[in-house]
Amino acid sequence: MKMAAEVRWLLVFIAFSAFSLIYAETPHGKFEYKYSFKPPYLAQKDGSVPFWEYGGNAIASAENVRVAPSLRSQKGAIWVKNPINFDWWEVDIMFRITGRGRIGADGLAFWYTSSKGAYNGTVFGSSDQWNGLGVFFDSFDNDNKHNNPYIMAVLNDGTKIFDHSNDGTTQLLSGCLRDFRNKPYATRARIEYYQNVLTLLFHSGMTNNEQDYETCFRAENVFLPKQGYFGISAATGGLADDHDVIHFLTTSLHRPGQLPTDGYQVSAEDQIKLSQEYQDYQKKLEQQKEEYHREHPDERRDKDEFEEYFETDNQRELRQIFGGQSQMFNVLKELGKKLDEVIGRQERTLSLISQVQVGGVVGQVQGQGQPIQLIDTIRRQEVDAVLKNQNVLINAAQEIKSFIGDVSSKTETILSNQARNPTAQVKPMGYDYQAIIVEMRDKFNVLSKDIAQINSKLGDCPSNCLTTMMFLIFVGLQMIILLAYSLYRENKELQAKKFY
């Protein structure tokens, strides 16, 4: 029991230590409306977006900004007008990328650069050789490695040209393989830059839970230029998607205890003066209450009537306990997220170590020179192809099964008939020869009458005229030949049925 109590107190101490550590490191956030836009009334009546400017093929409406429409070879971008005046920030982007095709193009890009880019550039609708950060949501597979859609972060110092042929894999800082096209709900990306650490959390859009984020990547020692510009761009190619941005929310991050006051601070003298005025107002209010109660004694209410509007000591303690438990739950949730990040980094390190041992290396990590190899895994397209082939095989097997069933049923019918009447012969499948002979005889009689009538009308037949007897003999020979052939064919069919 003593040991269990010690372990319990140790766990409580660890939990409170982690809580104090995380709470102490959690930055203060301030919403920056001059660097954000969201519905409703996103665009004004004249089509402009407050504090932003857009161009190219971008279209702004009251509900979203369509950066690039679903037409071929379209490019557009939207950039904030003024540079930011804070060092650390967090951006929450809600967007939709939808298209009728199974594969889309080209993608969406988030920018933080030292200067505003173009509105019809070559890199997802913006300028190449940028100075800053670009986070690309690439939906088209240019290098044919089946590794798209892909989310990547690329740093540039203003001198490098984006590697389109390899989808930027030789220049990326970090990334993850995520599908963000044609989702039931809007997809989200939360990009945080705090103390030179870049983190991207991704919401897949499969649920309507706003907190259902998962870590895409986390990169340390990332140095971005000060007082940069935010921007969003998109582009289409031979294939086309609608690239809609629903909101762009910016929050400035500050260290605990360093939240700015926008240059306005209350002096000590003013604080004392305001406090004295508040106390005087409270005293005056109490005096007015007493005077009112003396003048209107019938309207005085008992004190018990107002007890329901106030909480008791027990209720206050319970509320504080529940508040503390909710804070502990949030701390444990943050710990779980950080643990997932650590596990992901460990798995990546182990994979790199195993690749180094094997000896296969491809590409370079930007700024470090360490060789890495992109691990090829099964892709969504390959899984779809395997499932399609399985469905084709199942359908073919069902058709073969039904055909064999028909053959088996017919065979059982023939065998049962043969067993009931062993001496019976199989009915031939030929023609009804008796009916044919009767029909031919009737036609010959009609023909003979017609010939007799013609002879009576023409009189004597010339020497070269065909007589009736010769014609009948010729027709009789044909009938004999036809009957002999029919009998021969019937015998052949009977022999074939017996062997069957």
Side-chain angles (χ1 to χ4, degrees):
M1 296 295 294
K2 183 178 180 181
M3 184 175 180
E6 292 177 354
V7 171
R8 190 183 302 114
W9 282 110
L10 180 61
L11 293 175
V12 172
F13 175 74
I14 292 173
F16 276 100
S17 299
F19 169 75
S20 60
L21 181 62
I22 294 177
Y23 184 77
E25 293 181 354
T26 301
H28 292 300
K30 178 186 176 184
F31 178 67
E32 302 289 345
Y33 69 94
K34 292 184 179 180
Y35 305 97
S36 308
F37 61 81
K38 63 178 181 178
Y41 312 113
L42 189 151
Q44 303 299 313
K45 293 183 178 180
D46 58 354
S48 63
V49 179
F51 308 108
W52 294 76
E53 55 186 5
Y54 60 92
N57 300 115
I59 304 171
S61 64
E63 299 298 328
N64 58 44
V65 177
R66 178 155 291 179
V67 187
S70 57
L71 299 174
R72 292 183 178 181
S73 302
Q74 300 291 298
K75 299 176 182 179
I78 179 170
W79 288 87
V80 69
K81 291 182 179 180
N82 300 318
I84 64 174
N85 53 8
F86 40 86
D87 295 335
W88 319 119
W89 43 265
E90 180 185 88
V91 173
D92 187 3
I93 307 172
M94 179 187 290
F95 61 95
R96 281 183 179 273
I97 299 179
T98 56
R100 293 180 296 177
R102 187 176 61 87
I103 301 174
D106 281 332
L108 187 77
F110 161 79
W111 301 95
Y112 174 74
T113 57
S114 59
S115 60
K116 290 185 287 188
Y119 297 96
N120 56 354
T122 58
V123 181
F124 295 96
S126 189
S127 301
D128 202 346
Q129 296 180 330
W130 67 94
N131 182 18
L133 170 68
V135 178
F136 305 143
F137 299 85
D138 189 1
S139 56
F140 186 72
D141 190 7
N142 289 302
D143 54 3
N144 199 21
K145 291 184 179 179
H146 305 288
N147 56 351
N148 289 84
Y150 196 82
I151 304 174
M152 70 179 76
V154 179
L155 295 177
N156 199 337
D157 56 1
T159 61
K160 299 176 183 177
I161 299 176
F162 184 69
D163 188 6
H164 287 279
S165 59
N166 293 317
D167 281 333
T169 55
T170 59
Q171 301 170 335
L172 64 88
L173 173 68
S174 187
C176 62
L177 186 64
R178 296 290 186 274
D179 189 8
F180 43 79
R181 294 184 66 250
N182 296 328
K183 295 301 177 182
Y185 300 95
T187 52
R188 291 189 176 192
R190 182 175 294 174
I191 306 170
E192 179 185 293
Y193 179 62
Y194 181 66
Q195 294 183 353
N196 299 326
V197 178
L198 182 66
T199 307
L200 191 146
L201 303 178
F202 180 71
H203 190 296
S204 62
M206 298 302 295
T207 63
N208 59 354
N209 184 7
E210 296 181 357
Q211 302 300 326
D212 193 9
Y213 284 92
E214 58 181 354
T215 302
C216 177
F217 63 81
R218 184 176 186 271
E220 299 178 355
N221 299 324
V222 178
F223 299 95
L224 299 179
K226 304 292 184 181
Q227 297 181 352
Y229 293 84
F230 289 128
I232 294 285
S233 68
T236 62
L239 301 175
D241 287 336
D242 284 324
H243 300 78
D244 299 329
V245 178
I246 301 172
H247 73 214
F248 187 102
L249 306 179
T250 303
T251 304
S252 60
L253 302 178
H254 307 274
R255 292 187 178 92
Q258 298 182 2
L259 187 65
T261 57
D262 296 334
Y264 179 76
Q265 295 181 354
V266 180
S267 62
E269 296 178 357
D270 292 337
Q271 289 181 358
I272 296 172
K273 184 179 178 181
L274 292 173
S275 178
Q276 186 64 35
E277 290 179 356
Y278 177 74
Q279 292 176 3
D280 295 339
Y281 176 76
Q282 289 289 336
K283 292 179 181 179
K284 186 177 179 181
L285 181 61
E286 292 294 334
Q287 292 176 0
Q288 291 177 355
K289 286 183 178 179
E290 293 295 332
E291 292 177 359
Y292 180 80
H293 291 320
R294 285 196 299 267
E295 294 176 358
H296 305 82
D298 297 335
E299 298 182 1
R300 185 181 181 89
R301 296 184 180 181
D302 295 334
K303 186 178 180 180
D304 297 337
E305 298 181 7
F306 300 97
E307 289 184 355
E308 60 179 351
Y309 299 105
F310 302 95
E311 63 180 2
T312 62
D313 294 338
N314 294 330
Q315 292 176 348
R316 187 181 301 108
E317 290 179 359
L318 287 174
R319 180 174 57 81
Q320 292 175 355
I321 291 172
F322 291 150
Q325 288 181 350
S326 63
Q327 290 179 358
M328 292 178 65
F329 175 76
N330 293 330
V331 170
L332 292 175
K333 189 175 180 180
E334 293 293 332
L335 284 174
K337 289 183 179 180
K338 291 185 180 295
L339 184 60
D340 292 338
E341 293 178 5
V342 172
I343 293 173
R345 295 175 65 183
Q346 288 181 351
E347 291 178 352
R348 183 172 179 272
T349 304
L350 291 175
S351 64
L352 293 176
I353 292 173
S354 62
Q355 293 167 15
V356 170
Q357 292 177 354
V358 173
V361 293
V362 176
Q364 297 285 334
V365 176
Q366 183 175 1
Q368 296 181 1
Q370 298 178 358
I372 63 172
Q373 182 178 3
L374 299 177
I375 302 174
D376 190 13
T377 59
I378 188 168
R379 309 300 178 193
R380 186 187 62 182
Q381 294 85 356
E382 297 176 355
V383 174
D384 294 339
V386 171
L387 294 176
K388 184 177 180 180
N389 293 333
Q390 288 182 351
N391 293 330
V392 172
L393 291 175
I394 291 172
N395 294 331
Q398 291 177 352
E399 292 178 358
I400 293 172
K401 182 179 178 181
S402 61
F403 177 74
I404 292 174
D406 294 338
V407 173
S408 177
S409 61
K410 292 179 180 179
T411 304
E412 291 177 356
T413 302
I414 294 173
L415 292 176
S416 62
N417 293 333
Q418 190 69 22
R420 286 195 301 268
N421 191 5
T423 58
Q425 293 183 357
V426 181
K427 185 178 179 180
M429 301 298 296
Y431 299 97
D432 191 358
Y433 300 109
Q434 297 295 331
I436 294 173
I437 293 172
V438 172
E439 184 178 359
M440 292 179 65
R441 184 177 57 189
D442 295 338
K443 290 183 177 181
F444 289 152
N445 293 332
V446 173
L447 183 62
S448 299
K449 293 179 180 179
D450 293 339
I451 292 172
Q453 293 177 1
I454 292 171
N455 289 331
S456 62
K457 291 179 180 180
L458 296 176
D460 295 335
C461 183
S463 60
N464 57 354
C465 182
L466 180 64
T467 62
T468 304
M469 184 60 64
M470 292 179 63
F471 177 75
L472 294 176
I473 292 171
F474 179 73
V475 172
L477 291 175
Q478 287 185 348
M479 288 178 60
I480 292 170
I481 294 171
L482 180 61
L483 183 61
Y485 176 72
S486 300
L487 293 174
Y488 174 75
R489 183 176 178 181
E490 183 179 358
N491 291 330
K492 289 292 184 180
E493 290 178 355
L494 288 175
Q495 291 178 2
K497 293 292 182 178
K498 286 180 183 181
F499 283 112
Y500 180 80

